[in-house]
Amino acid sequence: MLQNEDVRFTSSSIKLPLFSLPHLHLRTPNPFIANLHLVVQNFPKFPHPFRQNLNPTAAFLRTLSKFQHPFHQKFNPQNAILQFLRKPIIPFSWNLSNTSPLLCCASIALSQSNLDDSAPSLGTKTGSGNEERVLISEVLVRSKDGEELERKDLESEVLNALKACRPNSALTVQEVQEDVHRIIASGYFCSCMPVAVDTRDGIRLVFQVEPNQEFHGLVCEGANVLPARFIEDSFRDGYGKIVNIKRIDEIISSINGWYMERGLFGAVSSVEILSGGMIRLEISEAEVNNIAIRFLDKTGEPTVGKTRPETILRQLTTKKGQVYSMLQGKRDVDTVLAMGIMEDVSIIPQPAGDTGKVDLVMNVVERKSGGGISAGGGISSGITSGPLTGLIGSCAIYHKNLFGRNQKLNLSLERGQVDSVFRINYTDPWIEGDDKRTSRSIMIQNSRTPGTLVHNQPDGSLTIGRVTAGIEYSRPFRPKWNGTAGIIFQRAGARDDKGSPIIRDYYSSPLTASGNTHDDMLLAKLETVYTGSGDPGSSVFVFNMDQGLPVWSDWLVFNRVNARARKGLALGPMHLLLSFSGGHVVGNFPPHEAFAIGGTNSVRGYEEGAVGSSRSYVVGCGEISFPLMGPVEGAVFADYGSDLGSGPSVPGDPAGPRRKPGSGYGCGVGIRVDSPLGPLRLEYAFNDQRTGRFHFGVGLRN
């Protein structure tokens, strides 16, 4: 074959975007699809075949030339994360759209020497330009050495990629080069050279291609958090096959997408095809270099904080040396806000010099004062008669950040016509020096609560007075699980409406277990709580046990266990809520501590405690809620409760003289309204004795 040698080539640089990572779509553009501009300089003036000295064949041969694809089996994508970290960052936004493109040699300038610039340019012209068209008689695919390809499937890939270059077609140089781009864009070839050969039958166009190597191994560097299984699965289908750059581009997109979905600062920084079919994949992960706390005032200016920085830092799950995660950072912000002493919190990641790491600055705005006075009110569900007897007023003096360590002190008083509670409570949410997030709470309380749930008096009111002091320790021991252990001392006794101690009720049933005016007990407390997602209506499980310790001979000894569970299920636009509670007491316990069944948080349709007063009990509820309009929801429900026949075993059998049935059910309808205090519930229910009752409650059922 006679190859044209009258054309020389020069190359210049253009920008060829390799890939970008948009905000939402993880699809990476193909790196080979680029605008390759052909600059034809001093295009020759060819003789026309019907005129003297005109030769279009020679003209076309002078315009085709070979060129090497810019990849040359190696490419280096820009490190998107590190480029991102060189710019100011808005908290919790990740903008990767400004990654710098790769510089590649991809344009060709053609020129021919010894041409007569004054000769006329002839040939068939295109509709939109002045390029000449020349007839091609044959199109072949060969290796870079001019031999036939050993693999026919690769030859088919080339032929399938051709759009304009067909036998017996008139082509321009631009159309040939566009087909060269399509061949490279198939991903199987690292170079493609179009060669025009003048034969007796016309011009033969030969595409000399060099296939990529076969994939025989992978080396991955820098992937500390990316699962090895993920990388292996991504490349597994390619072993023993020709490397397809398009497929590698898709793998890069999936790896970068894995990091973005998890909010991690990581991305593929380079990919290289080595000799022997080995692919070297380098991943850059931005590790946390340092975490600093910066106190700001409400105007955004730096100020001196009252909280110790170490008190805030120990709340963070993000630690030095970890790959920074924006999702984890958001959880840390929520955790610091939940301390109750900060008005605003944000995390700003910044590049740590040229180390490839990231420094985190947490900006915090403290509340104006850690302490204060508050007042409020409420309703007691244990009050069943009188228009105002259920109302409770309250006031409190508190400090939420003692010694700058987030320790809390609260002195509160609640007072109603029947109820009264005075409480001193000190809480250290995280004991200093403990690595298990153990909290400590010390409590002293003097209270009076209605005794009508168990011992309602026809001739007047009855209250239960309690003096309580104790200490409790609590810590999370598994995700969503929390445990509490403590020791509580309690002295409790009954009083009449005049405040005088009494030991028997209207029906001569005992009001204390010891026979004295009060009962003393030292209780060891254990409690386990599962909170699910924490959203309203999510799964909840609570189990607690109290054990009376016989420190003194007249102190009560008993064991009380209680459990409750709640499960929410979505049924299209509706929501099903199932709840269950139950308990049992063994030993000598005060009668007023019996389980009261019936009421707003038990079996609706009955008054508080009207179903039973028992040593054992079970209560179940099913409720379906559905949206009505705005924050208002409707609900239908059914409740059932039983004392399991244990009512007579309570000391004095307070349920028997009061003719409590021991079991009952109720069903009804209600509405729910979202409020800052939780769902406001207004319900009307019928019980199995065909009587109806309105119920009002705040929050979900216990």
Side-chain angles (χ1 to χ4, degrees):
M1 296 185 297
L2 180 61
Q3 185 169 314
N4 188 305
E5 297 180 352
D6 292 337
V7 181
R8 62 182 177 85
F9 305 91
T10 61
S11 63
S12 60
S13 296
I14 66 168
K15 292 185 177 181
L16 174 63
L18 182 60
F19 70 91
S20 62
L21 296 175
H23 288 289
L24 301 177
H25 302 287
L26 302 180
R27 174 71 177 170
T28 302
N30 191 299
F32 303 101
I33 304 300
N35 295 322
L36 301 180
H37 302 286
L38 178 65
V39 180
V40 182
Q41 298 175 347
N42 301 320
F43 198 88
K45 284 66 177 179
F46 304 114
H48 192 273
F50 298 103
R51 292 188 183 182
Q52 186 179 7
N53 299 327
L54 295 183
N55 188 351
T57 300
F60 189 77
L61 292 175
R62 292 188 180 94
T63 59
L64 289 180
S65 62
K66 53 188 176 182
F67 64 94
Q68 190 76 14
H69 185 262
F71 260 73
H72 289 290
Q73 299 203 33
K74 180 177 180 181
F75 63 99
N76 293 302
Q78 297 299 313
N79 185 336
I81 296 301
L82 298 182
Q83 289 283 0
F84 167 69
L85 292 178
R86 294 190 183 102
K87 302 177 181 181
I89 298 173
I90 300 174
F92 309 121
S93 67
W94 199 4
N95 184 356
L96 301 179
S97 62
N98 294 324
T99 55
S100 300
L102 184 70
L103 292 178
C104 297
C105 291
S107 66
I108 301 175
L110 304 180
S111 64
Q112 182 183 15
S113 60
N114 302 322
L115 293 178
D116 183 7
D117 294 341
S118 62
S121 176
L122 301 173
T124 305
K125 299 186 182 296
T126 61
S128 58
N130 295 323
E131 290 191 74
E132 307 290 342
R133 289 190 177 275
V134 176
L135 182 64
I136 299 297
S137 62
E138 188 177 8
V139 177
L140 297 179
V141 179
R142 293 291 185 264
S143 69
K144 65 177 182 177
D145 299 324
E147 305 295 332
E148 290 189 7
L149 293 178
E150 296 180 0
R151 298 185 53 166
K152 296 301 180 183
D153 57 334
L154 294 178
E155 182 177 343
S156 298
E157 290 291 341
V158 175
L159 295 176
N160 292 334
L162 298 179
K163 182 177 180 182
C165 297
R166 301 292 182 183
N168 302 317
S169 59
L171 303 176
T172 65
V173 173
Q174 182 67 26
E175 289 174 336
V176 174
Q177 183 148 342
E178 288 174 355
D179 272 352
V180 170
H181 299 160
R182 295 187 183 98
I183 294 172
I184 295 298
S186 67
Y188 291 100
F189 307 97
C190 60
S191 69
C192 177
M193 295 178 289
V195 178
V197 181
D198 192 4
T199 69
R200 289 181 300 175
D201 299 327
I203 296 179
R204 175 186 298 160
L205 182 59
V206 180
F207 290 96
Q208 294 183 351
V209 296
E210 181 181 358
N212 294 324
Q213 303 178 59
E214 290 186 355
F215 175 45
H216 293 297
L218 173 69
V219 177
C220 184
E221 300 176 355
N224 297 319
V225 297
L226 182 68
R229 182 66 177 272
F230 183 88
I231 302 176
E232 293 172 1
D233 291 344
S234 299
F235 283 90
R236 179 174 289 113
D237 294 340
Y239 280 100
K241 300 179 181 179
I242 295 294
V243 173
N244 188 313
I245 304 300
K246 289 176 60 178
R247 174 57 184 159
I248 293 180
D249 184 56
E250 293 174 357
I251 293 174
I252 292 173
S253 297
S254 65
I255 293 175
N256 293 336
W258 186 91
Y259 282 100
M260 293 188 69
E261 288 174 1
R262 290 155 181 80
L264 295 169
F265 274 28
V268 177
S269 57
S270 75
V271 178
E272 184 177 357
I273 304 177
L274 307 175
S275 60
M278 297 292 294
I279 294 180
R280 178 178 173 270
L281 184 70
E282 185 175 346
I283 295 177
S284 296
E285 297 177 343
E287 296 181 353
V288 176
N289 179 64
N290 188 40
I291 306 175
I293 304 298
R294 181 168 60 188
F295 293 92
L296 304 176
D297 57 22
K298 291 186 177 181
T299 63
E301 296 297 325
T303 186
V304 177
K306 300 177 181 178
T307 306
R308 297 188 178 186
E310 58 269 20
T311 300
I312 302 174
L313 289 173
R314 68 178 182 174
Q315 301 288 335
L316 309 182
T317 58
T318 301
K319 304 298 181 183
K320 295 180 181 179
Q322 293 180 348
V323 177
Y324 180 58
S325 167
M326 291 185 293
L327 299 180
Q328 190 175 9
K330 184 178 185 305
R331 289 193 295 268
D332 288 339
V333 168
D334 293 339
T335 300
V336 175
L337 285 173
M339 296 169 63
I341 58 177
M342 301 299 171
E343 188 170 308
D344 188 28
V345 180
S346 62
I347 293 181
I348 308 297
Q350 298 177 347
D354 297 329
T355 63
K357 298 183 179 182
V358 59
D359 287 334
L360 301 181
V361 178
M362 174 170 277
N363 293 327
V364 296
V365 179
E366 292 182 303
R367 295 188 182 277
K368 184 176 181 180
S369 175
I373 300 176
S374 64
I379 299 176
S380 172
S381 61
I383 307 300
T384 59
S385 60
L388 299 176
T389 52
L391 295 178
I392 299 175
S394 66
C395 66
I397 302 174
Y398 63 90
H399 199 292
K400 295 184 177 181
N401 194 15
L402 284 175
F403 315 116
R405 295 180 177 177
N406 195 33
Q407 299 173 4
K408 306 178 189 304
L409 179 65
N410 187 73
L411 285 74
S412 63
L413 174 64
E414 298 178 1
R415 180 68 180 174
Q417 288 184 312
V418 177
D419 300 63
S420 67
V421 179
F422 175 74
R423 181 186 297 111
I424 301 175
N425 191 80
Y426 164 80
T427 300
D428 186 353
W430 193 338
I431 300 175
E432 186 173 1
D434 177 77
D435 60 349
K436 302 295 184 180
R437 301 183 70 92
T438 303
S439 65
R440 175 178 55 213
S441 180
I442 301 173
M443 176 266 297
I444 300 174
Q445 177 177 292
N446 187 354
S447 65
R448 289 179 59 193
T449 57
T452 55
L453 296 178
V454 177
H455 299 87
N456 56 311
Q457 301 282 84
D459 60 344
S461 63
L462 181 149
T463 59
I464 305 299
R466 295 179 178 87
V467 176
T468 307
I471 182 170
E472 294 181 355
Y473 291 87
S474 179
R475 71 164 53 166
F477 58 89
R478 289 188 62 185
K480 302 180 181 181
W481 287 88
N482 192 75
T484 300
I487 293 290
I488 300 174
F489 171 81
Q490 179 175 289
R491 168 172 287 189
R495 296 180 180 272
D496 59 16
D497 56 347
K498 298 179 181 179
S500 302
I502 55 176
I503 59 175
R504 293 187 178 274
D505 66 4
Y506 177 82
Y507 298 99
S508 297
S509 297
L511 295 172
T512 60
S514 63
N516 301 322
T517 57
H518 59 269
D519 290 323
D520 292 332
M521 61 198 84
L522 183 65
L523 303 176
K525 175 183 178 180
L526 292 175
E527 183 177 74
T528 299
V529 179
Y530 172 82
T531 56
S533 65
D535 297 329
S538 64
S539 298
V540 173
F541 175 76
V542 179
F543 175 83
N544 55 59
M545 180 180 70
D546 296 328
Q547 175 64 56
L549 304 177
V551 178
W552 298 103
S553 59
D554 57 344
W555 287 12
L556 303 185
V557 180
F558 63 92
N559 179 272
R560 176 172 55 204
V561 295
N562 193 18
R564 55 187 176 89
R566 185 176 69 220
K567 176 68 175 179
L569 299 172
L571 302 175
M574 298 184 296
H575 190 267
L576 173 63
L577 186 65
L578 302 175
S579 62
F580 168 84
S581 60
H584 180 66
V585 183
V586 177
N588 187 23
F589 72 103
H592 55 78
E593 297 285 354
F595 296 113
I597 310 172
T600 301
N601 291 314
S602 182
V603 180
R604 285 162 287 191
Y606 282 92
E607 293 185 358
E608 304 296 326
V611 174
S613 302
S614 60
R615 184 183 288 266
S616 304
Y617 86 103
V618 291
V619 171
C621 166
E623 179 176 296
I624 296 178
S625 60
F626 45 89
L628 292 178
M629 58 179 182
V632 181
E633 292 184 342
V636 295
F637 58 84
D639 304 332
Y640 175 79
S642 173
D643 64 2
L644 303 176
S646 63
S649 63
V650 176
D653 185 18
R658 292 166 176 81
R659 297 182 179 181
K660 297 184 179 182
S663 64
Y665 64 84
C667 56
V669 297
I671 59 173
R672 309 281 186 270
V673 180
D674 286 337
S675 74
L677 301 177
L680 302 180
R681 300 154 39 206
L682 179 61
E683 302 157 336
Y684 185 80
F686 282 96
N687 60 31
D688 53 337
Q689 297 180 358
R690 298 182 180 180
T691 59
R693 183 175 179 82
F694 280 101
H695 296 272
F696 176 76
V698 179
L700 297 172
R701 285 168 51 88
N702 295 331

